[in-house]
Amino acid sequence: MKPSKRLDQIPPYLFAELERKIAAKRAAGVDVISLGIGDPDTPTYAPIVAAAQAAVADPSTHTYPSNRGLASFREAVARFYDRRFGVELDPETEVMPAIGAKECIFNLNLAFLDPGDIALASDPGYPVYTGGPLLAGAEPYLMGLEPERGFAPDFGAIPDAVLERARLMFINYPNNPTGAVAPDGVFEAAIEIGRRHDVLVVHDNAYSETTFDGYVAPSFLSTPGAKEVGVEVFSLSKGYNMTGWRCAAIVGNAAAISEYWRLKSNIDSGLFEAVQLAGVAALAPELDAEVRAMNAVYQRRRDLVCDALAAAGVDVTPPKGTIYIWAPVPSGFDSAAAYCEYVLEQAAVVISPGGSYGPNGEGFFRISLTTPDERLLEAVERLSRL
Ligand SMILES: Cc1ncc(COP(=O)(O)O)c(C=O)c1O
């Protein structure tokens, strides 16, 4: 069997490798604490589960869903966007469900890129921003996110020859892996590139509901002009503890969403309607209190980890959002991967090397806060003993 050249060009998915390593250690009886994957450790909020139970028992959800999605799901997303972000969306044309943000981000590559085209990808960034273009036969161009710029790309540094070939741009705030929130002007600058160079701007909004210290994350679509050149992919995975459900929505530019629909009607058969109805329950105002309580938990864990790292001499900035701590690798290690290997071997703690999110992540490591407090504390204590 010979895999395609397309598949051979991309590295193995980061967490697939990590999972293999953890399994091998655990099989050998080692007490491994994984702070690798950003997968919430607490259950989906009870009202969402109850709505899903009722929906699963209703035979009307048992048939093929339409790719356009249930009107009730699209309307719930539109109401949420209005209430939460002050963004008006037409539920008929400007909202569609996605089988998780990952599916959506990947398929946007297939819908908008041809060989020779370029996708502008935040670096460090969610790996699908680079794997997606490659699998679509196109190329990613890495836009470095520098700490000095608040982790905004330096749009002015992108060569004209790249901008001429660019068709897509991937940005993401609050940001995985750096934890940065949208720096002033970043959305305006992205929109300007989109306008001038006919680039579809894709804002990956996986973390807007997970913020701390009173910070409220905006939608990309609340920036004037965003809807003319862009879409936002809103995921329920992290904010609602729903990673396993695969529930997200693409919102914004109607023409782009229509092309995404045209592609998907040839690829999959839509999002299980019971999951869409669970999404409707999640986005109701009554669930805001659950989200706030969850954020208090993550904020406490963030402080616990940052305090312990700071006490161990690590120069770490507590993030205002996301479920990640992004910190510099201590001196004496050749690479972030070497440090993470060392930590796994010596402390049986799994952390992610920054370089696996792109070359600009080199020199950093990422800790996920999706582990109960005692285990998190134990992990950080093991780290500081090294
Ligand atoms: C930035 C970012 N986008 C998208 C995703 C995937 O979201 P979903 O579970 O909706 O596919 C993640 C998950 O870690 C993420 O960090």
Side-chain angles (χ1 to χ4, degrees):
M1 242 187 282
K2 195 173 170 303
S4 67
K5 293 194 186 72
R6 224 177 295 122
L7 185 56
D8 272 346
Q9 324 172 60
I10 55 166
Y13 199 71
L14 166 67
F15 294 118
E17 284 202 335
L18 270 179
E19 275 165 18
R20 262 198 303 278
K21 280 188 193 159
I22 300 167
K25 288 239 166 247
R26 286 195 175 138
V30 179
D31 173 28
V32 179
I33 307 179
S34 178
L35 312 182
I37 303 182
D39 196 350
D41 55 309
T42 36
T44 305
Y45 312 131
I48 304 175
V49 175
Q53 279 169 330
V56 167
D58 176 354
S60 76
T61 66
H62 298 180
T63 54
Y64 284 121
S66 109
N67 259 314
R68 288 286 305 131
L70 287 170
S72 58
F73 178 82
R74 288 184 268 117
E75 284 157 10
V77 172
R79 274 196 307 276
F80 174 80
Y81 259 70
D82 186 19
R83 169 168 72 79
R84 171 63 184 83
F85 300 116
V87 169
E88 263 185 50
L89 294 170
D90 176 356
E92 280 299 310
T93 57
E94 295 178 336
V95 183
M96 218 184 106
I99 310 172
K102 189 176 193 178
E103 172 270 297
C104 184
I105 292 163
F106 173 71
N107 276 326
L108 287 171
N109 288 283
L110 285 189
F112 288 97
L113 297 177
D114 283 315
D117 291 344
I118 284 178
L120 305 170
S122 300
D123 165 26
Y126 185 56
V128 184
Y129 308 157
T130 48
L134 290 172
L135 287 170
E139 290 165 47
Y141 172 86
L142 303 179
M143 303 187 293
L145 307 184
E146 305 290 346
E148 310 71 67
R149 310 176 63 86
F151 294 101
D154 184 359
F155 293 117
I158 305 172
D160 286 342
V162 168
L163 289 169
E164 268 167 35
R165 289 166 54 204
R167 297 275 70 87
L168 279 180
M169 177 197 295
F170 294 112
I171 49 173
N172 158 233
Y173 298 98
N175 181 263
N176 174 16
T178 66
V181 297
D184 283 347
V186 72
F187 291 152
E188 286 82 353
I191 291 166
E192 188 57 28
I193 300 258
R195 261 201 204 120
R196 277 215 200 140
H197 301 279
D198 194 18
V199 168
L200 176 68
V201 179
V202 179
H203 180 243
D204 178 359
N205 187 8
Y207 296 97
S208 61
E209 302 319 289
T210 307
T211 56
F212 319 121
D213 305 331
Y215 175 78
V216 180
S219 162
F220 166 64
L221 296 179
S222 51
T223 306
K227 220 194 263 183
E228 287 153 36
V229 297
V231 289
E232 180 158 272
V233 184
F234 179 76
S235 171
L236 281 77
S237 282
K238 314 293 172 138
Y240 298 86
N241 297 342
M242 290 180 77
T243 47
W245 300 66
R246 317 309 304 130
C247 189
I250 180 170
V251 294
N253 187 278
I257 291 175
S258 172
E259 299 301 352
Y260 169 69
W261 168 78
R262 196 153 66 94
L263 176 86
K264 262 170 75 81
S265 59
N266 288 284
I267 291 184
D268 63 58
S269 300
L271 179 61
F272 182 24
E273 289 185 350
V275 172
Q276 295 185 49
L277 292 168
V280 172
L283 297 176
E286 300 78 59
L287 270 283
D288 290 0
E290 305 265 8
V291 175
R292 272 198 301 276
M294 195 65 236
N295 285 346
V297 171
Y298 287 131
Q299 183 171 320
R300 187 179 70 230
R301 292 180 184 172
R302 174 201 69 170
D303 291 343
L304 184 149
V305 171
C306 288
D307 289 352
L309 288 175
V314 180
D315 177 18
V316 61
T317 310
K320 284 199 165 55
T322 78
I323 48 181
Y324 309 112
I325 306 295
W326 185 244
V329 168
S331 56
F333 292 90
D334 286 348
S335 66
Y339 175 64
C340 294
E341 279 293 334
Y342 171 79
V343 169
L344 179 60
E345 289 311 319
Q346 301 297 317
V349 172
V350 180
I351 53 177
S352 315
S356 37
Y357 301 93
N360 236 51
E362 190 45 70
F364 289 84
F365 64 95
R366 193 193 79 171
I367 285 180
S368 169
L369 299 174
T370 51
T371 298
D373 293 31
E374 328 77 69
R375 294 290 279 167
L376 202 50
L377 203 53
E378 153 88 21
V380 194
E381 272 163 11
R382 286 191 202 173
L383 283 191
S384 43
R385 281 200 298 268
L386 286 179

